[in-house]
PDB file of all heavy atoms in Angstrom:
ATOM      1  N   ARG A   1      -8.709  -6.370  12.744  1.00  0.00           N
ATOM      2  CA  ARG A   1      -9.689  -7.419  12.458  1.00  0.00           C
ATOM      3  C   ARG A   1     -10.638  -6.960  11.367  1.00  0.00           C
ATOM      4  O   ARG A   1     -11.025  -7.723  10.487  1.00  0.00           O
ATOM      5  CB  ARG A   1     -10.483  -7.783  13.718  1.00  0.00           C
ATOM      6  CG  ARG A   1      -9.696  -8.551  14.735  1.00  0.00           C
ATOM      7  CD  ARG A   1     -10.602  -9.344  15.657  1.00  0.00           C
ATOM      8  NE  ARG A   1     -11.614  -8.546  16.320  1.00  0.00           N
ATOM      9  CZ  ARG A   1     -11.426  -7.903  17.452  1.00  0.00           C
ATOM     10  NH1 ARG A   1     -10.249  -7.933  18.039  1.00  0.00           N
ATOM     11  NH2 ARG A   1     -12.401  -7.215  18.010  1.00  0.00           N
ATOM     12  N   ALA A   2     -11.048  -5.710  11.435  1.00  0.00           N
ATOM     13  CA  ALA A   2     -12.018  -5.209  10.466  1.00  0.00           C
ATOM     14  C   ALA A   2     -11.449  -5.134   9.062  1.00  0.00           C
ATOM     15  O   ALA A   2     -12.100  -5.490   8.097  1.00  0.00           O
ATOM     16  CB  ALA A   2     -12.504  -3.822  10.887  1.00  0.00           C
ATOM     17  N   VAL A   3     -10.195  -4.677   8.948  1.00  0.00           N
ATOM     18  CA  VAL A   3      -9.619  -4.432   7.632  1.00  0.00           C
ATOM     19  C   VAL A   3      -8.954  -5.661   7.047  1.00  0.00           C
ATOM     20  O   VAL A   3      -9.178  -6.012   5.890  1.00  0.00           O
ATOM     21  CB  VAL A   3      -8.599  -3.273   7.706  1.00  0.00           C
ATOM     22  CG1 VAL A   3      -7.887  -3.098   6.381  1.00  0.00           C
ATOM     23  CG2 VAL A   3      -9.311  -1.993   8.107  1.00  0.00           C
ATOM     24  N   SER A   4      -8.140  -6.363   7.835  1.00  0.00           N
ATOM     25  CA  SER A   4      -7.358  -7.463   7.273  1.00  0.00           C
ATOM     26  C   SER A   4      -7.936  -8.833   7.550  1.00  0.00           C
ATOM     27  O   SER A   4      -7.535  -9.804   6.934  1.00  0.00           O
ATOM     28  CB  SER A   4      -5.928  -7.412   7.809  1.00  0.00           C
ATOM     29  OG  SER A   4      -5.917  -7.650   9.200  1.00  0.00           O
ATOM     30  N   GLY A   5      -8.908  -8.931   8.436  1.00  0.00           N
ATOM     31  CA  GLY A   5      -9.419 -10.236   8.814  1.00  0.00           C
ATOM     32  C   GLY A   5     -10.649 -10.663   8.079  1.00  0.00           C
ATOM     33  O   GLY A   5     -11.230 -11.692   8.375  1.00  0.00           O
ATOM     34  N   GLN A   6     -11.090  -9.887   7.089  1.00  0.00           N
ATOM     35  CA  GLN A   6     -12.325 -10.197   6.390  1.00  0.00           C
ATOM     36  C   GLN A   6     -12.079 -10.305   4.893  1.00  0.00           C
ATOM     37  O   GLN A   6     -12.370  -9.404   4.134  1.00  0.00           O
ATOM     38  CB  GLN A   6     -13.374  -9.107   6.671  1.00  0.00           C
ATOM     39  CG  GLN A   6     -13.577  -8.804   8.140  1.00  0.00           C
ATOM     40  CD  GLN A   6     -14.192  -9.969   8.882  1.00  0.00           C
ATOM     41  OE1 GLN A   6     -14.813 -10.835   8.281  1.00  0.00           O
ATOM     42  NE2 GLN A   6     -14.025  -9.993  10.182  1.00  0.00           N
ATOM     43  N   LYS A   7     -11.551 -11.432   4.455  1.00  0.00           N
ATOM     44  CA  LYS A   7     -11.218 -11.604   3.039  1.00  0.00           C
ATOM     45  C   LYS A   7     -12.363 -12.230   2.258  1.00  0.00           C
ATOM     46  O   LYS A   7     -12.303 -12.332   1.053  1.00  0.00           O
ATOM     47  CB  LYS A   7      -9.970 -12.487   2.907  1.00  0.00           C
ATOM     48  CG  LYS A   7      -8.731 -11.886   3.567  1.00  0.00           C
ATOM     49  CD  LYS A   7      -8.370 -10.548   2.966  1.00  0.00           C
ATOM     50  CE  LYS A   7      -7.091  -9.997   3.575  1.00  0.00           C
ATOM     51  NZ  LYS A   7      -6.745  -8.676   3.064  1.00  0.00           N
ATOM     52  N   GLY A   8     -13.408 -12.667   2.956  1.00  0.00           N
ATOM     53  CA  GLY A   8     -14.486 -13.364   2.273  1.00  0.00           C
ATOM     54  C   GLY A   8     -15.681 -12.477   2.018  1.00  0.00           C
ATOM     55  O   GLY A   8     -15.570 -11.332   1.596  1.00  0.00           O
ATOM     56  N   ASP A   9     -16.848 -12.986   2.321  1.00  0.00           N
ATOM     57  CA  ASP A   9     -18.117 -12.327   2.037  1.00  0.00           C
ATOM     58  C   ASP A   9     -18.254 -11.017   2.814  1.00  0.00           C
ATOM     59  O   ASP A   9     -18.248 -11.023   4.046  1.00  0.00           O
ATOM     60  CB  ASP A   9     -19.243 -13.283   2.450  1.00  0.00           C
ATOM     61  CG  ASP A   9     -20.604 -12.741   2.096  1.00  0.00           C
ATOM     62  OD1 ASP A   9     -20.718 -11.564   1.732  1.00  0.00           O
ATOM     63  OD2 ASP A   9     -21.552 -13.514   2.192  1.00  0.00           O
ATOM     64  N   PRO A  10     -18.370  -9.879   2.141  1.00  0.00           N
ATOM     65  CA  PRO A  10     -18.463  -8.598   2.852  1.00  0.00           C
ATOM     66  C   PRO A  10     -19.721  -8.472   3.678  1.00  0.00           C
ATOM     67  O   PRO A  10     -19.767  -7.687   4.611  1.00  0.00           O
ATOM     68  CB  PRO A  10     -18.461  -7.565   1.711  1.00  0.00           C
ATOM     69  CG  PRO A  10     -18.955  -8.312   0.529  1.00  0.00           C
ATOM     70  CD  PRO A  10     -18.423  -9.704   0.683  1.00  0.00           C
ATOM     71  N   THR A  11     -20.770  -9.229   3.388  1.00  0.00           N
ATOM     72  CA  THR A  11     -22.000  -9.088   4.147  1.00  0.00           C
ATOM     73  C   THR A  11     -21.968  -9.836   5.462  1.00  0.00           C
ATOM     74  O   THR A  11     -22.939  -9.796   6.212  1.00  0.00           O
ATOM     75  CB  THR A  11     -23.192  -9.595   3.320  1.00  0.00           C
ATOM     76  OG1 THR A  11     -23.040 -10.987   3.086  1.00  0.00           O
ATOM     77  CG2 THR A  11     -23.300  -8.860   2.008  1.00  0.00           C
ATOM     78  N   LEU A  12     -20.871 -10.504   5.781  1.00  0.00           N
ATOM     79  CA  LEU A  12     -20.750 -11.176   7.065  1.00  0.00           C
ATOM     80  C   LEU A  12     -19.820 -10.410   7.995  1.00  0.00           C
ATOM     81  O   LEU A  12     -19.402 -10.912   9.017  1.00  0.00           O
ATOM     82  CB  LEU A  12     -20.227 -12.609   6.881  1.00  0.00           C
ATOM     83  CG  LEU A  12     -21.171 -13.558   6.145  1.00  0.00           C
ATOM     84  CD1 LEU A  12     -20.527 -14.928   6.018  1.00  0.00           C
ATOM     85  CD2 LEU A  12     -22.496 -13.662   6.860  1.00  0.00           C
ATOM     86  N   ILE A  13     -19.486  -9.183   7.636  1.00  0.00           N
ATOM     87  CA  ILE A  13     -18.553  -8.393   8.430  1.00  0.00           C
ATOM     88  C   ILE A  13     -19.272  -7.721   9.603  1.00  0.00           C
ATOM     89  O   ILE A  13     -20.261  -7.049   9.432  1.00  0.00           O
ATOM     90  CB  ILE A  13     -17.891  -7.317   7.549  1.00  0.00           C
ATOM     91  CG1 ILE A  13     -17.016  -7.996   6.506  1.00  0.00           C
ATOM     92  CG2 ILE A  13     -17.073  -6.347   8.372  1.00  0.00           C
ATOM     93  CD1 ILE A  13     -16.539  -7.083   5.418  1.00  0.00           C
ATOM     94  N   HIS A  14     -18.741  -7.905  10.810  1.00  0.00           N
ATOM     95  CA  HIS A  14     -19.331  -7.273  11.982  1.00  0.00           C
ATOM     96  C   HIS A  14     -18.283  -6.589  12.856  1.00  0.00           C
ATOM     97  O   HIS A  14     -18.638  -5.734  13.656  1.00  0.00           O
ATOM     98  CB  HIS A  14     -20.057  -8.324  12.836  1.00  0.00           C
ATOM     99  CG  HIS A  14     -21.252  -8.918  12.179  1.00  0.00           C
ATOM    100  ND1 HIS A  14     -22.455  -8.273  12.080  1.00  0.00           N
ATOM    101  CD2 HIS A  14     -21.418 -10.107  11.566  1.00  0.00           C
ATOM    102  CE1 HIS A  14     -23.332  -9.043  11.440  1.00  0.00           C
ATOM    103  NE2 HIS A  14     -22.719 -10.154  11.127  1.00  0.00           N
ATOM    104  N   SER A  15     -17.010  -6.955  12.748  1.00  0.00           N
ATOM    105  CA  SER A  15     -15.996  -6.458  13.667  1.00  0.00           C
ATOM    106  C   SER A  15     -15.560  -5.051  13.308  1.00  0.00           C
ATOM    107  O   SER A  15     -15.006  -4.822  12.235  1.00  0.00           O
ATOM    108  CB  SER A  15     -14.781  -7.385  13.652  1.00  0.00           C
ATOM    109  OG  SER A  15     -15.128  -8.657  14.108  1.00  0.00           O
ATOM    110  N   ALA A  16     -15.815  -4.137  14.214  1.00  0.00           N
ATOM    111  CA  ALA A  16     -15.365  -2.751  14.097  1.00  0.00           C
ATOM    112  C   ALA A  16     -15.682  -2.089  12.767  1.00  0.00           C
ATOM    113  O   ALA A  16     -14.855  -1.390  12.210  1.00  0.00           O
ATOM    114  CB  ALA A  16     -13.873  -2.666  14.358  1.00  0.00           C
ATOM    115  N   PRO A  17     -16.861  -2.250  12.223  1.00  0.00           N
ATOM    116  CA  PRO A  17     -17.155  -1.638  10.923  1.00  0.00           C
ATOM    117  C   PRO A  17     -17.155  -0.120  10.965  1.00  0.00           C
ATOM    118  O   PRO A  17     -16.788   0.537   9.993  1.00  0.00           O
ATOM    119  CB  PRO A  17     -18.549  -2.186  10.580  1.00  0.00           C
ATOM    120  CG  PRO A  17     -19.164  -2.507  11.895  1.00  0.00           C
ATOM    121  CD  PRO A  17     -18.031  -2.996  12.735  1.00  0.00           C
ATOM    122  N   ARG A  18     -17.554   0.457  12.091  1.00  0.00           N
ATOM    123  CA  ARG A  18     -17.615   1.912  12.155  1.00  0.00           C
ATOM    124  C   ARG A  18     -16.236   2.530  12.036  1.00  0.00           C
ATOM    125  O   ARG A  18     -16.057   3.581  11.414  1.00  0.00           O
ATOM    126  CB  ARG A  18     -18.280   2.341  13.479  1.00  0.00           C
ATOM    127  CG  ARG A  18     -18.730   3.784  13.477  1.00  0.00           C
ATOM    128  CD  ARG A  18     -19.830   3.986  12.456  1.00  0.00           C
ATOM    129  NE  ARG A  18     -20.004   5.367  12.091  1.00  0.00           N
ATOM    130  CZ  ARG A  18     -20.804   5.799  11.133  1.00  0.00           C
ATOM    131  NH1 ARG A  18     -21.515   4.938  10.448  1.00  0.00           N
ATOM    132  NH2 ARG A  18     -20.912   7.067  10.846  1.00  0.00           N
ATOM    133  N   MET A  19     -15.255   1.882  12.634  1.00  0.00           N
ATOM    134  CA  MET A  19     -13.902   2.408  12.550  1.00  0.00           C
ATOM    135  C   MET A  19     -13.360   2.316  11.128  1.00  0.00           C
ATOM    136  O   MET A  19     -12.597   3.159  10.690  1.00  0.00           O
ATOM    137  CB  MET A  19     -12.984   1.664  13.521  1.00  0.00           C
ATOM    138  CG  MET A  19     -13.140   2.120  14.964  1.00  0.00           C
ATOM    139  SD  MET A  19     -14.764   1.795  15.661  1.00  0.00           S
ATOM    140  CE  MET A  19     -14.634   0.040  15.956  1.00  0.00           C
ATOM    141  N   ALA A  20     -13.746   1.260  10.421  1.00  0.00           N
ATOM    142  CA  ALA A  20     -13.330   1.144   9.023  1.00  0.00           C
ATOM    143  C   ALA A  20     -13.927   2.275   8.197  1.00  0.00           C
ATOM    144  O   ALA A  20     -13.267   2.847   7.329  1.00  0.00           O
ATOM    145  CB  ALA A  20     -13.766  -0.207   8.457  1.00  0.00           C
ATOM    146  N   PHE A  21     -15.196   2.608   8.479  1.00  0.00           N
ATOM    147  CA  PHE A  21     -15.851   3.705   7.765  1.00  0.00           C
ATOM    148  C   PHE A  21     -15.123   5.019   8.024  1.00  0.00           C
ATOM    149  O   PHE A  21     -14.878   5.795   7.102  1.00  0.00           O
ATOM    150  CB  PHE A  21     -17.309   3.819   8.215  1.00  0.00           C
ATOM    151  CG  PHE A  21     -18.062   4.936   7.559  1.00  0.00           C
ATOM    152  CD1 PHE A  21     -18.617   4.777   6.295  1.00  0.00           C
ATOM    153  CD2 PHE A  21     -18.216   6.155   8.202  1.00  0.00           C
ATOM    154  CE1 PHE A  21     -19.308   5.827   5.683  1.00  0.00           C
ATOM    155  CE2 PHE A  21     -18.904   7.199   7.610  1.00  0.00           C
ATOM    156  CZ  PHE A  21     -19.446   7.033   6.336  1.00  0.00           C
ATOM    157  N   GLU A  22     -14.755   5.260   9.266  1.00  0.00           N
ATOM    158  CA  GLU A  22     -14.094   6.513   9.625  1.00  0.00           C
ATOM    159  C   GLU A  22     -12.693   6.618   9.022  1.00  0.00           C
ATOM    160  O   GLU A  22     -12.136   7.711   8.927  1.00  0.00           O
ATOM    161  CB  GLU A  22     -14.029   6.645  11.143  1.00  0.00           C
ATOM    162  CG  GLU A  22     -15.409   6.849  11.772  1.00  0.00           C
ATOM    163  CD  GLU A  22     -15.401   6.745  13.274  1.00  0.00           C
ATOM    164  OE1 GLU A  22     -14.326   6.452  13.846  1.00  0.00           O
ATOM    165  OE2 GLU A  22     -16.466   6.944  13.888  1.00  0.00           O
ATOM    166  N   ALA A  23     -12.124   5.490   8.605  1.00  0.00           N
ATOM    167  CA  ALA A  23     -10.794   5.513   8.007  1.00  0.00           C
ATOM    168  C   ALA A  23     -10.819   5.923   6.543  1.00  0.00           C
ATOM    169  O   ALA A  23      -9.775   6.190   5.957  1.00  0.00           O
ATOM    170  CB  ALA A  23     -10.139   4.131   8.141  1.00  0.00           C
ATOM    171  N   LEU A  24     -12.022   6.010   5.961  1.00  0.00           N
ATOM    172  CA  LEU A  24     -12.142   6.335   4.540  1.00  0.00           C
ATOM    173  C   LEU A  24     -12.069   7.836   4.286  1.00  0.00           C
ATOM    174  O   LEU A  24     -12.330   8.644   5.187  1.00  0.00           O
ATOM    175  CB  LEU A  24     -13.470   5.797   4.001  1.00  0.00           C
ATOM    176  CG  LEU A  24     -13.676   4.285   4.056  1.00  0.00           C
ATOM    177  CD1 LEU A  24     -15.096   3.948   3.624  1.00  0.00           C
ATOM    178  CD2 LEU A  24     -12.654   3.574   3.199  1.00  0.00           C
ATOM    179  N   GLN A  25     -11.761   8.194   3.057  1.00  0.00           N
ATOM    180  CA  GLN A  25     -11.781   9.597   2.656  1.00  0.00           C
ATOM    181  C   GLN A  25     -13.232  10.098   2.648  1.00  0.00           C
ATOM    182  O   GLN A  25     -14.161   9.325   2.386  1.00  0.00           O
ATOM    183  CB  GLN A  25     -11.181   9.761   1.258  1.00  0.00           C
ATOM    184  CG  GLN A  25      -9.697   9.426   1.189  1.00  0.00           C
ATOM    185  CD  GLN A  25      -8.862  10.364   2.044  1.00  0.00           C
ATOM    186  OE1 GLN A  25      -9.105  11.572   2.069  1.00  0.00           O
ATOM    187  NE2 GLN A  25      -7.898   9.817   2.761  1.00  0.00           N
ATOM    188  N   PRO A  26     -13.458  11.383   2.933  1.00  0.00           N
ATOM    189  CA  PRO A  26     -14.822  11.920   3.005  1.00  0.00           C
ATOM    190  C   PRO A  26     -15.658  11.667   1.760  1.00  0.00           C
ATOM    191  O   PRO A  26     -16.854  11.362   1.859  1.00  0.00           O
ATOM    192  CB  PRO A  26     -14.595  13.422   3.227  1.00  0.00           C
ATOM    193  CG  PRO A  26     -13.281  13.491   3.924  1.00  0.00           C
ATOM    194  CD  PRO A  26     -12.460  12.387   3.327  1.00  0.00           C
ATOM    195  N   GLU A  27     -15.044  11.772   0.579  1.00  0.00           N
ATOM    196  CA  GLU A  27     -15.822  11.571  -0.638  1.00  0.00           C
ATOM    197  C   GLU A  27     -16.285  10.120  -0.783  1.00  0.00           C
ATOM    198  O   GLU A  27     -17.364   9.851  -1.316  1.00  0.00           O
ATOM    199  CB  GLU A  27     -15.018  11.990  -1.876  1.00  0.00           C
ATOM    200  CG  GLU A  27     -13.711  11.261  -2.088  1.00  0.00           C
ATOM    201  CD  GLU A  27     -12.529  11.931  -1.398  1.00  0.00           C
ATOM    202  OE1 GLU A  27     -12.757  12.718  -0.459  1.00  0.00           O
ATOM    203  OE2 GLU A  27     -11.393  11.676  -1.816  1.00  0.00           O
TER     204      GLU A  27
END
């Protein structure tokens, strides 16, 4: 839901944002 379900406005994203952050590279 966090990655593929939010194609619109990024400032309206609430679903599982922390997990999306943890999926990123450290840099």
Side-chain angles (χ1 to χ4, degrees):
R1 288 203 305 274
V3 174
S4 65
Q6 309 293 339
K7 298 300 183 183
D9 185 349
T11 64
L12 294 179
I13 294 168
H14 294 283
S15 297
R18 196 65 199 173
M19 282 64 76
F21 179 82
E22 292 170 357
L24 298 174
Q25 294 297 319
E27 59 271 20

